[in-house]
């Protein structure tokens, strides 16, 4: 067991190191000077501009040699400092991220969990009869092949504009301030609904398909045949097949939850929903490379952490993995 | 009579047509009899086993009846067979090594299986432990996962599991094929023990290893290409077989102490016929050294001597 | 016990017929009977046809302002016009061409790299496998946007080719993982051991022993990469990181949203491109399931 995790940790750490390095290098490879970009907003006399240039250079840590910048980057990372944003100057990148993450969680976690539950149930249904399979299979594949943004656009247009039921931009009404009032919460939910549905539907397709394939595989397994030969009722066979089929699905679920903080980029763009995805697009369009760098770094770290936790969880949940490591049976 | 099979016909549905895997099989097994079922791969042994207990697609029931303890088994109806399965007729499958759910502890699985068949686990628990002793397995096996067991242990566990409700008929399908010789002996002896203690009334032991049958079977049924060739007591089959196929089969067994240079080991020339379009008449005639023109007509499976059935014109004519 | 009797085979005993179809014919036989394969392939072929001959029916440039603005589909403009008065039909069929191009080049490249890395890692194992694993993980974890941003910043003018190559270079990890797993299971088979013991060079073993047995799997992996490339391209195009000198389905949706098609109700601008993607990629997936059934006897229905 120790060797297994030891190896895993080495792999994760080396991946982390490489990823952070590449991430640090991004703004350095960009053409143009981010500070000059910032300064174009400020008109002024050459001396003032020069003075501000030096000031900003210090703020962004660009006044030291490159290798030192690299070290500073790591130090800042361990302090939780992901730099300063150019677009939203003088806000810190970490502050922007922290404001955006709750929206992502609010949007994605219910979508993922509900679609997991519903999708797997439907997928398991499909394996019961051929008729069900012939309807659920194409539906599932079509849903999972649907581009997120298109579904979002369709929903925004049909239910948002044509039917006028739901709003199509922002996290809450523009005229409202965050508070614990019913008006605000209702507005929050209204704005949440369409992006939620568009994500839910596509995820649902993916889970249904995955589960359908897994269940068919399990129902064809020897232990299923043995139970049937001994006359066990269908419900027991299905229960065992379901439990065994869900295990690999759980890995997928954990992975998806792990990347919740990466946001749902195109969906947030379509609905102007202020999650990380939305901010990444803003950063791209405004050439705020520090914001991009910070967001990516945040996402990378979360993904690696999530993967690692999944590895641990899987060992606990599936006895085969656990025993396989100790050299199992004879 | 424990088991009576009359003219059982079961075909496999394939896209190219029906494979006549079991084509009119009639035989009886008495109470307490261990019948060996022998034959080459593809002759229909496992089909016969599955027909009696687990007739699923692509198998298709065509004709015939199976009676166990006087009751007809509705083998064509998957649902109504459930009342008979496990309690009246049970099976140790060919894939016994993989027959247990890998993610469930063995004890938990047993409990859930029994409960689903409306049998109280609590009441059966002590008997279960006694059976485990019988097959030399420790009680703590119930708290283990199948992956923790060796092949022989899994085989024995499935043996206990399949016979837990004292079925009248136990079908053991190639249960010794994947084991080493000493474990083979142990498992074979356990089968006999189960019969002697009346845990199981009668057995069909399927194997292509006649030497095992010689040790434990009371009678042997030889199959060829979906039809029965010969059925007789073990002694008669081994020492005085009548059907040409059986004779060639027995003679192709290696004998202890005989060197290859002194007496060549002969097999049987040729291949078994494909059962998509089986040959007319006796299915063995292509490879039979004594085939003659009457063999174009299918020989009936008749009792030549007391409890000795053969399907061969030569033998029938000889003893007519 | 046995008597050696001379075989009197003077009588003509008819031979039992032997059915031995060739392996390729067997696949075609089942392929023709598989509904999923037929329908999926049919839809994909329809769109390919549309992509090839569709542009022949239009005389307009996708960018040109040739008609009245925001007009619904009519006999003159089959798919209507955009907010600026461009022909949506032209954009659509040219976008289809772009989509298939991305699929072939991006998907093909991704499969190719995935095959090389997957085979080598799966066959060699050991240190080679570990190193390739780390490489795969890094490429997986790095958000592809990061690299694309750099490219986009330097290359103000980009075409479909660059996008396809980029997608191929970043989407291969999925293929590599799958192929590696398959190679692992195949390499411990007996026939491979025989080849190894007879002194065959590893590269030769991979190509003559392992690859042919994985042909079906490689084909299915390619189809998945193809569909995946189309979806990725659509996303990249939508957020403005796509090609700048041509039109694509994702770009159509990008422009539509940017220029108020939603508010004006110009559904003909954004519904067809997304629908086409869904239909093509979905049919590819379904076709894949059909192929799996054709290649894998256990899955075949009666």
């Amino acid at each position: 067991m120790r060797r297994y995790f030891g190896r895993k940790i080495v792999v994760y750490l080396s991946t982390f190191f490489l990823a952070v390095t590449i991430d640090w290098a991004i703004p350095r490879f960009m053409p143009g000077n981010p500070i000059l970009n910032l300064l174009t907003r400020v008109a002024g006399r050459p001396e003032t501009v020069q003075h501000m240039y030096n000031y900003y250079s210090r703020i962004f840590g660009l006044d030291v040699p490159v290798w030192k910048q690299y070290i500073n980057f790591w130090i800042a990372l361990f302090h939780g400092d992901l730099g300063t944003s150019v677009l939203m100057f003088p806000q810190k990148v970490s502050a922007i991220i922290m404001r955006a993450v709750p929206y992502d969680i609010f949007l994605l976690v219910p979508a993922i969990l509900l679609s997991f539950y519903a999708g797997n149930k439907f997928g398991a249904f499909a394996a019961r009869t051929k008729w069900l399979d012939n309807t659920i299979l194409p539906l599932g594949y079509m849903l999972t092949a649907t581009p997120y943004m298109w579904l979002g656009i369709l929903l925004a247009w049909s239910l948002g504009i044509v039917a006028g039921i739901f709003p199509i931009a922002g996290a809450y009404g523009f005229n409202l301030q965050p508070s614990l009032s019913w008006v605000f919460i209702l507005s929050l939910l209204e704005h949440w609904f369409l992006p939620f549905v568009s994500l839910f539907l596509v995820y649902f397709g993916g889970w249904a398909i995955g589960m359908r394939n897994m269940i068919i595989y399990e129902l064809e397994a020897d232990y299923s045949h043995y139970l049937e030969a001994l006359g066990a009722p269908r419900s027991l066979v299905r229960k065992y097949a379901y439990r065994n089929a869900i295990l690999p699905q759980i890995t997928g679920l954990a992975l998806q939850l792990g990347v919740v903080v990466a946001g749902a980029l195109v969906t947030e763009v379509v609905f102007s929903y202020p999650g990380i995805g939305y901010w990444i697009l803003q950063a791209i369009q405004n050439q705020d490379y520090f914001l991009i760098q910070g967001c990516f770094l945040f996402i990378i770290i979360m993904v690696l952490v999530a993967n690692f936790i999944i590895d641990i969880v899987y060992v606990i949940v599936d006895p085969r993995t656990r025993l396989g490591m100790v050299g199992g049976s004879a | 009579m424990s088991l009576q099979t009359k003219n059982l016909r079961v075909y496999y549905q394939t896209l190219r047509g029906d494979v006549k895997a079991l084509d009119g099989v009639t035989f009886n097994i008495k109470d307490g009899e261990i019948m060996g079922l022998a034959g080459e791969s593809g002759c229909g042994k496992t089909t016969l086993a599955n027909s009696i207990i687990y007739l699923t697609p692509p198998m298709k029931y065509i004709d015939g009846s199976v009676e166990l303890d006087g009751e007809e088994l509705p083998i064509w109806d998957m649902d109504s067979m459930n009342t008979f399965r496990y309690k009246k007729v049970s099976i140790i499958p060919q894939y016994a090594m993989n027959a247990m759910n890998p993610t469930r502890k063995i004890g938990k699985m047993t409990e859930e299986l029994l409960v689903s068949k409306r049998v109280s686990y609590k009441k059966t628990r002590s008997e279960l432990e006694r059976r485990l002793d019988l097959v030399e397995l420790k009680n703590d096996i119930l708290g283990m996962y199948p992956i923790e067991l060796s092949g022989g242990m899994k085989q024995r566990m499935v043996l206990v599991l399949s016979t837990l409700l004292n079925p009248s008929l136990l079908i053991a399908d190639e249960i010794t094929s994947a084991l080493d010789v000493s474990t083979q002996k142990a498992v074979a002896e356990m089968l006999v023990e189960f019969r002697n203690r009346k845990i199981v009334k009668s057995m069909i032991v399927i194997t292509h290893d006649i030497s095992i049958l010689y040790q434990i079977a009371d009678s042997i049924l030889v199959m060829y290409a979906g039809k029965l060739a010969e059925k007789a007591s073990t002694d008669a089959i081994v020492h005085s077989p009548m059907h040409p196929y059986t004779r060639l089969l027995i003679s192709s067994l290696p004998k202890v102490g005989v060197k290859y240079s002194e007496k060549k080991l002969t097999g049987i020339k040729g291949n078994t016929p494909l059962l998509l379009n089986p040959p007319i008449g006796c299915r063995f005639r292509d490879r039979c050294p004594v085939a003659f023109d009457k063999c174009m007509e299918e020989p009936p499976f008749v009792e030549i001597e007391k409890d000795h059935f053969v399907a061969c014109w030569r033998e029938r004519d000889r003893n007519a | 016990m046995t008597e050696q009797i001379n075989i009197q085979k003077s009588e003509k005993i008819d031979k039992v017929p032997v059915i031995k179809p060739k392996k390729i014919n067997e696949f075609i036989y089942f392929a023709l009977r598989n509904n999923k394969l037929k329908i999926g392939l049919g839809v994909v072929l329809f769109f390919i046809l549309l992509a090839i001959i569709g542009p022949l029916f239009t005389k307009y440039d996708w960018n040109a302002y040739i008609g009245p603005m925001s007009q619904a589909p009519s006999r003159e403009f089959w798919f209507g016009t955009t907010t600026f008065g461009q022909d949506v039909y032209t954009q659509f069929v040219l976008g289809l061409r772009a989509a298939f191009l991305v699929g072939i080049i991006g998907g093909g490249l991704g499969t190719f790299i995935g095959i090389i890395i997957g085979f080598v890692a799966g066959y060699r194992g050991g240190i080679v496998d570990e190193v390739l694993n780390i490489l795969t993980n890094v490429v997986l974890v790095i958000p592809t946007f990061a690299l694309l941003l750099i490219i986009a910043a330097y290359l103000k003018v980009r075409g479909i080719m660059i996008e396809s190559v980029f997608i191929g270079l970043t989407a291969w990890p999925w293929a590599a993982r799958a192929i590696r797993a398959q190679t692992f299971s195949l390499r411990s088979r007996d026939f491979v051991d025989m080849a190894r013991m007879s002194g065959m060079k590893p590269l030769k073993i991979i190509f003559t022993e392992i690859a042919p047995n994985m042909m079906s799997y490689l084909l299915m992996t390619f189809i998945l990469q193809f569909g995946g490339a189309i979806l990725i391209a659509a996303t990249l195009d939508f957020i403005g990181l796509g090609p700048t000198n041509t039109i694509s389905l994702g770009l159509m949706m990008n422009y539509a949203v940017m220029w108020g098609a939603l508010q004006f109700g110009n559904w003909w601008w954004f519904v067809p491109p997304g629908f086409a993607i869904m239909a093509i990629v979905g049919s590819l997936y379904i076709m894949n399931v059909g192929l799996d059934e054709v290649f894998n006897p256990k899955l075949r229905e009666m």
Side-chain angles (χ1 to χ4, degrees), chain C:
Chain C
M1 218 190 318
T2 36
E3 314 102 62
Q4 286 289 11
I5 301 174
N6 274 327
I7 300 165
Q8 299 272 5
K9 286 244 176 155
S10 52
E11 314 87 50
K12 270 265 170 228
I13 305 177
D14 44 40
K15 279 286 165 197
V16 179
V18 174
I19 307 162
K20 262 190 185 280
K22 275 166 53 204
K23 200 155 190 222
I24 303 292
N25 289 341
E26 180 188 338
F27 287 149
I28 295 183
Y29 177 82
F30 284 113
L32 288 174
R33 271 166 180 67
N34 192 299
N35 281 334
K36 300 185 183 75
L37 184 55
K38 286 194 284 192
I39 296 180
L41 191 57
V43 173
V44 175
L45 286 177
F46 165 73
F47 278 101
I48 291 183
L49 198 66
L50 197 54
I52 296 178
I53 64 172
L56 299 174
F57 286 96
T58 176
K59 46 190 184 292
Y60 305 120
D61 194 28
W62 67 268
N63 221 349
Y65 307 141
I66 41 80
M69 302 191 282
S70 302
Q71 216 196 33
S74 60
R75 215 164 325 145
E76 199 191 339
F77 301 110
W78 297 340
F79 277 34
T81 61
T82 71
T83 332
F84 300 115
Q86 302 149 318
D87 181 28
V88 176
Y89 173 77
T90 313
Q91 292 189 342
F92 180 69
V93 288
L94 286 177
L96 279 182
R97 279 196 180 177
F100 283 112
L101 210 63
V102 169
I104 290 187
I105 297 179
L109 185 59
T111 312
F112 181 69
I113 300 178
I115 287 179
I116 294 187
I117 297 205
F119 265 151
V120 173
Y123 187 74
R124 282 323 215 103
I127 290 286
V128 174
D129 183 29
E130 298 280 3
V131 169
L132 287 177
N133 240 352
I134 294 183
L135 172 68
T136 310
N137 279 338
V138 171
V139 175
L140 262 180
V141 163
I142 301 282
T144 51
F145 290 144
L147 300 172
L148 195 52
L149 280 182
I150 300 178
I151 297 173
Y154 279 102
L155 296 172
K156 291 297 177 193
V157 178
R158 306 179 288 276
I160 285 284
M161 282 303 282
I162 303 230
E163 185 180 46
S164 311
V165 167
F166 176 79
I167 291 179
L169 289 175
T170 49
W172 59 261
W174 301 106
R177 274 219 181 135
I179 293 175
R180 170 183 172 270
Q182 278 288 101
T183 311
F184 251 145
S185 82
L186 271 179
R187 80 120 122 96
S188 52
R189 302 272 175 92
D190 298 328
F191 63 91
V192 176
D193 283 335
M194 296 283 282
R196 242 205 305 254
M197 283 194 280
S198 66
M200 220 192 257
K201 289 254 172 12
L203 210 65
K204 187 143 186 257
I205 296 181
I206 291 181
F207 280 112
T208 56
E209 302 284 343
I210 298 187
N213 279 300
M214 279 183 60
M215 267 306 147
S216 55
Y217 196 73
L218 294 179
L219 176 62
M220 288 164 60
T221 305
F222 171 63
I223 292 180
L224 284 177
Q225 287 277 308
F226 191 101
I230 295 181
L231 282 177
I232 296 176
T235 302
L236 294 178
D237 295 347
F238 184 71
I239 57 174
L241 292 175
T244 53
N245 59 4
T246 184
I247 190 74
S248 79
L249 298 175
L251 275 177
M252 281 176 75
M253 290 192 277
N254 184 7
Y255 293 151
V257 171
M258 228 193 320
W259 302 112
L262 278 178
Q263 281 75 6
F264 293 136
N266 300 350
W267 56 269
W268 49 88
W269 200 7
F270 56 79
V271 169
F275 176 77
I277 295 178
M278 179 189 81
I280 294 173
V281 178
S283 303
L284 281 172
Y285 287 165
I286 293 182
M287 199 173 109
N288 227 8
V289 178
L291 271 175
D292 201 13
E293 287 174 0
V294 168
F295 289 131
N296 187 351
K298 272 208 267 180
L299 294 174
R300 286 180 201 151
E301 307 150 303
M302 273 305 160

Side-chain angles (χ1 to χ4, degrees), chain B residues 24 82 102 113 195 209 221 229 231 248 251 283 293:
Chain B
N82 270 346
L113 176 59
R195 188 272 314 261
D209 186 353
L221 175 61
K231 179 176 189 277
L248 288 172
S251 74
R283 293 188 179 178
D293 47 355

Side-chain angles (χ1 to χ4, degrees), chain A residues 7 11 14-15 18-19 22 26 29-31 130 137-138 141-142 144-147 149-150 153-154 157 161 168 265-266 269-270 281 284 289 292 296 300 304, chain C residues 36 130 134 137-138 141-143 145-146 149-150 153-154 231 234-235 238-239 253 257 262-263 265 267 270-271 274-275 277-278 281-283 285-286 289 301:
Chain A
R7 266 227 232 110
V11 172
S14 31
T15 312
L18 271 166
I22 295 179
I26 297 171
F29 279 126
M30 287 304 182
K130 192 143 185 284
L137 185 103
Y141 274 116
M142 282 303 172
T144 197
T146 308
M149 92 282 295
W150 186 64
I153 294 174
L154 278 186
W157 172 63
I161 294 188
I168 62 166
L265 185 58
V266 278
V269 166
V270 169
L281 182 71
I284 292 175
Y289 298 126
I292 295 172
F296 284 159
I300 290 173
L304 287 175
Chain C
K36 300 185 183 75
E130 298 280 3
I134 294 183
N137 279 338
V138 171
V141 163
I142 301 282
F145 290 144
L149 280 182
I150 300 178
Y154 279 102
L231 282 177
T235 302
F238 184 71
I239 57 174
M253 290 192 277
V257 171
L262 278 178
Q263 281 75 6
W267 56 269
F270 56 79
V271 169
F275 176 77
I277 295 178
M278 179 189 81
V281 178
S283 303
Y285 287 165
I286 293 182
V289 178
E301 307 150 303

Side-chain angles (χ1 to χ4, degrees), chain A residues 226 228-231 240 244 329, chain B residues 54 101 103 112 117 147 162:
Chain A
Y226 182 52
E228 286 178 340
L230 292 185
Y240 278 2
N244 285 357
S329 63
Chain B
Y54 189 44
N101 187 354
T103 57
E112 287 172 338
K117 301 225 50 150
I147 194 178
S162 292

Side-chain angles (χ1 to χ4, degrees), chain A residues 185-254:
Chain A
I185 293 182
L186 196 64
S187 178
L188 204 63
L189 286 172
E190 265 183 345
H191 285 81
W192 165 89
F193 187 71
L194 286 183
F196 163 77
V197 169
S198 69
L199 287 169
F200 172 83
L201 286 174
V202 182
Y203 291 158
F204 171 84
W207 292 124
I209 290 300
M211 191 54 162
R212 174 226 176 236
N213 291 334
M214 299 301 317
I215 283 252
I216 287 184
Y217 180 74
E218 293 297 320
L219 287 175
E220 290 296 314
D222 285 334
Y223 70 86
S224 292
H225 288 316
Y226 182 52
L227 285 174
E228 286 178 340
L230 292 185
R234 280 225 179 290
S235 53
L236 185 67
V237 179
R238 277 204 212 111
K239 173 174 152 184
Y240 278 2
Y242 191 82
R243 209 221 163 226
N244 285 357
I246 261 248
L247 286 176
Q249 296 285 76
I250 290 188
T251 315
L253 174 68

